[in-house]
Coordinates of all heavy atoms in Angstrom, one line a residue:
I193 N -4.2 9.0 3.8 CA -5.6 9.3 3.6 C -6.5 8.5 4.6 O -7.4 9.0 5.2 CB -6.0 9.1 2.2 CG1 -5.3 10.2 1.3 CG2 -7.5 9.1 2.0 CD1 -5.5 10.0 -0.2
I194 N -6.1 7.2 4.7 CA -6.9 6.4 5.6 C -6.8 6.9 7.1 O -7.7 6.9 7.8 CB -6.5 4.9 5.5 CG1 -6.9 4.4 4.1 CG2 -7.0 4.0 6.6 CD1 -6.4 3.0 3.8
L195 N -5.5 7.2 7.5 CA -5.3 7.7 8.8 C -6.1 9.0 9.1 O -6.7 9.1 10.2 CB -3.8 7.9 9.0 CG -3.4 8.5 10.4 CD1 -3.7 7.4 11.5 CD2 -1.9 8.9 10.4
I196 N -6.0 9.9 8.2 CA -6.8 11.2 8.4 C -8.3 10.9 8.4 O -9.0 11.5 9.3 CB -6.4 12.2 7.2 CG1 -5.0 12.7 7.4 CG2 -7.4 13.4 7.2 CD1 -4.5 13.5 6.3
T197 N -8.8 10.0 7.6 CA -10.2 9.7 7.6 C -10.6 9.1 9.0 O -11.7 9.4 9.5 CB -10.6 8.7 6.5 OG1 -10.1 9.3 5.3 CG2 -12.0 8.4 6.4
V198 N -9.8 8.2 9.5 CA -10.1 7.6 10.8 C -10.1 8.6 11.9 O -11.0 8.6 12.7 CB -9.1 6.4 11.1 CG1 -9.2 5.9 12.5 CG2 -9.4 5.2 10.1
L199 N -9.0 9.4 11.9 CA -9.0 10.5 13.0 C -10.1 11.5 12.9 O -10.7 11.8 13.9 CB -7.6 11.2 12.8 CG -6.4 10.4 13.2 CD1 -5.1 11.2 13.0 CD2 -6.5 10.0 14.7
L200 N -10.5 11.8 11.7 CA -11.6 12.7 11.5 C -12.9 12.1 12.0 O -13.7 12.7 12.7 CB -11.8 13.2 10.0 CG -12.9 14.1 9.7 CD1 -12.7 15.5 10.4 CD2 -13.0 14.3 8.2
T201 N -13.1 10.8 11.7 CA -14.3 10.1 12.2 C -14.3 10.0 13.7 O -15.4 10.3 14.3 CB -14.3 8.7 11.6 OG1 -14.3 8.8 10.1 CG2 -15.6 8.0 12.0
V202 N -13.2 9.8 14.3 CA -13.2 9.7 15.8 C -13.5 11.1 16.4 O -14.3 11.2 17.3 CB -11.8 9.2 16.3 CG1 -11.6 9.4 17.8 CG2 -11.6 7.7 15.9
V203 N -12.9 12.1 15.9 CA -13.2 13.5 16.4 C -14.6 13.8 16.2 O -15.3 14.4 17.1 CB -12.3 14.5 15.7 CG1 -12.7 15.9 16.0 CG2 -10.8 14.3 16.1
L204 N -15.2 13.5 15.1 CA -16.6 13.8 14.8 C -17.5 13.1 15.8 O -18.5 13.6 16.3 CB -17.0 13.5 13.4 CG -16.4 14.4 12.3 CD1 -16.8 14.0 10.9 CD2 -16.8 15.9 12.5
M205 N -17.3 11.8 16.0 CA -18.1 11.0 16.9 C -18.0 11.4 18.3 O -18.9 11.2 19.1 CB -17.8 9.5 16.7 CG -18.2 9.0 15.4 SD -19.9 9.1 15.1 CE -20.0 9.9 13.6
Q206 N -16.9 12.0 18.7 CA -16.8 12.5 20.1 C -17.4 13.8 20.4 O -17.6 14.2 21.5 CB -15.3 12.6 20.5 CG -14.6 11.3 20.6 CD -13.1 11.5 20.9 OE1 -12.5 12.6 20.7 NE2 -12.4 10.4 21.3
N207 N -17.9 14.5 19.3 CA -18.4 15.8 19.5 C -19.8 15.9 18.9 O -20.1 16.4 17.8 CB -17.6 16.9 18.8 CG -16.2 17.0 19.4 OD1 -16.1 17.5 20.6 ND2 -15.2 16.6 18.8
T208 N -20.8 15.3 19.6 CA -22.2 15.3 19.1 C -23.1 16.2 19.8 O -24.3 16.3 19.4 CB -22.7 13.8 19.2 OG1 -22.6 13.4 20.6 CG2 -21.9 12.9 18.3
E209 N -22.7 16.9 20.9 CA -23.6 17.7 21.6 C -23.9 19.0 20.8 O -23.2 19.4 20.0 CB -23.0 18.1 23.0 CG -21.7 18.9 23.0 CD -20.5 18.0 22.9 OE1 -20.6 16.8 22.9 OE2 -19.4 18.6 22.9
P210 N -25.1 19.6 21.1 CA -25.5 20.8 20.3 C -24.7 22.0 20.7 O -24.2 22.1 21.9 CB -27.0 21.0 20.7 CG -27.2 20.2 21.9 CD -26.1 19.1 22.0
V211 N -24.5 22.9 19.8 CA -23.7 24.1 20.0 C -24.5 25.3 19.5 O -25.2 25.2 18.4 CB -22.4 24.0 19.2 CG1 -21.6 25.3 19.3 CG2 -21.5 22.9 19.7
K212 N -24.4 26.4 20.1 CA -25.1 27.6 19.7 C -24.2 28.4 18.7 O -23.1 28.8 19.1 CB -25.5 28.5 20.9 CG -26.2 29.8 20.6 CD -26.6 30.5 21.9 CE -25.9 31.8 22.0 NZ -26.3 32.6 23.1
F213 N -24.7 28.7 17.5 CA -24.1 29.6 16.6 C -24.9 30.8 16.4 O -26.1 30.8 16.2 CB -23.9 28.9 15.2 CG -22.8 27.9 15.1 CD1 -23.0 26.6 15.4 CD2 -21.5 28.3 14.8 CE1 -22.0 25.7 15.3 CE2 -20.5 27.4 14.8 CZ -20.7 26.1 15.0
T214 N -24.2 32.0 16.5 CA -24.9 33.3 16.2 C -24.3 33.8 14.9 O -23.1 34.1 14.9 CB -24.7 34.2 17.4 OG1 -25.2 33.6 18.6 CG2 -25.4 35.5 17.1
I215 N -25.1 33.9 13.9 CA -24.7 34.4 12.6 C -25.6 35.6 12.3 O -26.8 35.5 12.2 CB -24.9 33.3 11.5 CG1 -24.0 32.1 11.8 CG2 -24.4 33.9 10.2 CD1 -24.2 31.0 10.9
L216 N -24.9 36.8 12.3 CA -25.6 38.1 12.1 C -26.6 38.3 13.2 O -26.3 38.5 14.3 CB -26.1 38.2 10.7 CG -25.1 38.2 9.5 CD1 -25.8 38.3 8.2 CD2 -24.1 39.4 9.7
F217 N -27.9 38.2 12.8 CA -29.0 38.4 13.8 C -29.7 37.2 14.2 O -30.6 37.2 15.0 CB -30.0 39.4 13.2 CG -29.4 40.7 12.8 CD1 -29.2 41.1 11.5 CD2 -28.9 41.6 13.8 CE1 -28.6 42.3 11.1 CE2 -28.3 42.8 13.5 CZ -28.2 43.1 12.1
G218 N -29.2 36.0 13.7 CA -29.9 34.8 14.1 C -29.1 33.9 15.0 O -27.8 33.9 14.9
T219 N -29.7 33.1 15.8 CA -29.1 32.1 16.6 C -29.5 30.7 16.2 O -30.7 30.5 16.1 CB -29.4 32.4 18.1 OG1 -29.0 33.7 18.4 CG2 -28.7 31.4 19.0
F220 N -28.6 29.9 16.0 CA -28.9 28.5 15.6 C -28.2 27.5 16.5 O -27.1 27.7 17.0 CB -28.3 28.3 14.2 CG -28.8 29.2 13.1 CD1 -28.1 30.3 12.8 CD2 -30.1 29.1 12.5 CE1 -28.5 31.3 11.9 CE2 -30.5 30.0 11.6 CZ -29.7 31.1 11.3
Y221 N -29.0 26.4 16.8 CA -28.4 25.3 17.6 C -28.3 24.1 16.6 O -29.2 23.6 16.1 CB -29.3 24.9 18.7 CG -29.3 26.0 19.8 CD1 -30.3 27.0 19.9 CD2 -28.4 25.9 20.8 CE1 -30.2 27.9 20.9 CE2 -28.3 26.8 21.9 CZ -29.3 27.8 21.9 OH -29.3 28.8 22.9
I222 N -27.0 23.7 16.4 CA -26.7 22.5 15.6 C -25.7 21.7 16.4 O -25.0 22.2 17.2 CB -26.3 22.9 14.2 CG1 -24.9 23.6 14.2 CG2 -27.3 23.6 13.4 CD1 -24.3 23.8 12.8
S223 N -25.6 20.4 16.0 CA -24.6 19.6 16.7 C -23.2 19.9 16.2 O -23.0 20.4 15.1 CB -24.9 18.1 16.5 OG -24.6 17.7 15.2
K224 N -22.3 19.7 17.1 CA -20.9 19.9 16.7 C -20.5 19.0 15.5 O -19.7 19.3 14.7 CB -19.9 19.6 17.9 CG -19.8 20.7 18.9 CD -18.7 20.3 19.9 CE -18.6 21.2 21.0 NZ -17.6 20.8 22.0
L225 N -21.1 17.8 15.5 CA -20.9 16.8 14.5 C -21.2 17.5 13.1 O -20.4 17.4 12.2 CB -21.7 15.6 14.7 CG -21.7 14.6 13.6 CD1 -20.4 13.9 13.5 CD2 -22.8 13.6 13.8
M226 N -22.3 18.1 13.0 CA -22.7 18.7 11.7 C -21.8 19.9 11.4 O -21.4 20.1 10.2 CB -24.2 19.2 11.7 CG -25.2 18.0 11.8 SD -25.0 16.8 10.5 CE -25.4 17.8 9.1
A227 N -21.5 20.7 12.3 CA -20.6 21.8 12.1 C -19.2 21.4 11.6 O -18.7 21.9 10.6 CB -20.5 22.7 13.3
L228 N -18.6 20.4 12.4 CA -17.3 20.0 12.0 C -17.3 19.2 10.7 O -16.4 19.4 9.9 CB -16.7 19.0 13.1 CG -16.4 19.7 14.4 CD1 -16.0 18.7 15.5 CD2 -15.2 20.7 14.2
A229 N -18.3 18.4 10.4 CA -18.4 17.7 9.1 C -18.5 18.7 8.0 O -17.9 18.5 6.9 CB -19.6 16.7 9.2
S230 N -19.4 19.7 8.1 CA -19.5 20.7 7.1 C -18.2 21.5 6.8 O -17.9 21.7 5.7 CB -20.7 21.6 7.3 OG -20.5 22.4 8.5
F231 N -17.5 21.8 7.9 CA -16.2 22.5 7.7 C -15.2 21.6 7.0 O -14.4 22.1 6.2 CB -15.7 23.0 9.0 CG -16.5 24.2 9.6 CD1 -16.9 24.2 10.9 CD2 -16.8 25.3 8.8 CE1 -17.6 25.3 11.4 CE2 -17.5 26.4 9.2 CZ -17.9 26.4 10.5
A232 N -15.2 20.3 7.4 CA -14.3 19.4 6.8 C -14.6 19.2 5.3 O -13.7 19.2 4.4 CB -14.4 18.0 7.5
V233 N -15.9 19.2 4.9 CA -16.2 19.1 3.5 C -15.8 20.3 2.7 O -15.3 20.2 1.6 CB -17.7 18.8 3.3 CG1 -18.2 18.9 1.9 CG2 -18.1 17.4 3.8
V234 N -16.1 21.5 3.3 CA -15.7 22.7 2.7 C -14.2 22.8 2.5 O -13.7 23.2 1.5 CB -16.3 24.0 3.4 CG1 -15.7 25.3 2.9 CG2 -17.8 24.0 3.3
A235 N -13.4 22.4 3.5 CA -12.0 22.5 3.5 C -11.5 21.5 2.4 O -10.5 21.8 1.7 CB -11.4 22.1 4.8
F236 N -12.1 20.3 2.3 CA -11.7 19.4 1.3 C -11.9 19.9 -0.1 O -11.0 19.8 -1.0 CB -12.5 18.0 1.4 CG -12.2 17.0 0.3 CD1 -11.0 16.3 0.4 CD2 -13.1 16.8 -0.7 CE1 -10.7 15.4 -0.6 CE2 -12.8 15.9 -1.7 CZ -11.6 15.2 -1.7
I237 N -13.1 20.5 -0.4 CA -13.4 21.1 -1.7 C -12.4 22.2 -2.0 O -11.9 22.3 -3.1 CB -14.9 21.6 -1.7 CG1 -15.8 20.4 -1.7 CG2 -15.1 22.4 -3.0 CD1 -17.3 20.7 -1.5
L238 N -12.1 23.1 -1.1 CA -11.2 24.2 -1.3 C -9.8 23.6 -1.6 O -9.1 24.1 -2.4 CB -11.1 25.1 -0.1 CG -12.3 26.0 0.1 CD1 -12.2 26.8 1.4 CD2 -12.5 26.9 -1.1
G239 N -9.4 22.6 -0.9 CA -8.1 21.9 -1.1 C -8.0 21.4 -2.5 O -6.9 21.5 -3.2
V240 N -9.0 20.7 -3.0 CA -9.1 20.2 -4.3 C -9.0 21.3 -5.4 O -8.2 21.2 -6.3 CB -10.3 19.3 -4.6 CG1 -10.5 18.9 -6.0 CG2 -10.2 18.0 -3.7
L241 N -9.7 22.4 -5.1 CA -9.7 23.5 -6.1 C -8.4 24.2 -6.2 O -7.9 24.5 -7.2 CB -10.8 24.5 -5.8 CG -12.2 24.0 -6.0 CD1 -13.2 25.0 -5.5 CD2 -12.5 23.7 -7.4
V242 N -7.7 24.3 -5.0 CA -6.4 25.0 -5.0 C -5.3 24.1 -5.5 O -4.4 24.6 -6.2 CB -6.1 25.5 -3.5 CG1 -4.7 26.0 -3.4 CG2 -7.1 26.6 -3.1
G243 N -5.4 22.8 -5.3 CA -4.4 21.9 -5.6 C -4.4 21.4 -7.1 O -3.6 20.6 -7.5
R244 N -5.4 21.8 -7.8 CA -5.5 21.3 -9.2 C -4.4 21.9 -10.0 O -4.0 23.0 -9.9 CB -6.8 21.8 -9.9 CG -8.0 21.1 -9.5 CD -9.2 21.5 -10.3 NE -9.3 22.9 -10.5 CZ -10.2 23.6 -11.1 NH1 -11.2 22.9 -11.6 NH2 -10.2 24.9 -11.2

Side-chain angles (χ1 to χ4, degrees):
I193 289 173
I194 291 171
L195 178 67
I196 289 172
T197 304
V198 169
L199 290 175
L200 180 64
T201 304
V202 169
V203 169
L204 289 176
M205 291 298 125
Q206 289 178 345
N207 294 292
T208 56
E209 64 270 2
V211 174
K212 179 176 116 175
F213 280 95
T214 304
I215 301 174
L216 296 176
F217 301 108
T219 301
F220 305 97
Y221 287 94
I222 62 172
S223 74
K224 279 186 189 177
L225 173 71
M226 292 305 295
L228 290 172
S230 61
F231 289 131
V233 168
V234 169
F236 176 77
I237 292 171
L238 288 175
V240 168
L241 290 175
V242 170
R244 283 190 316 185

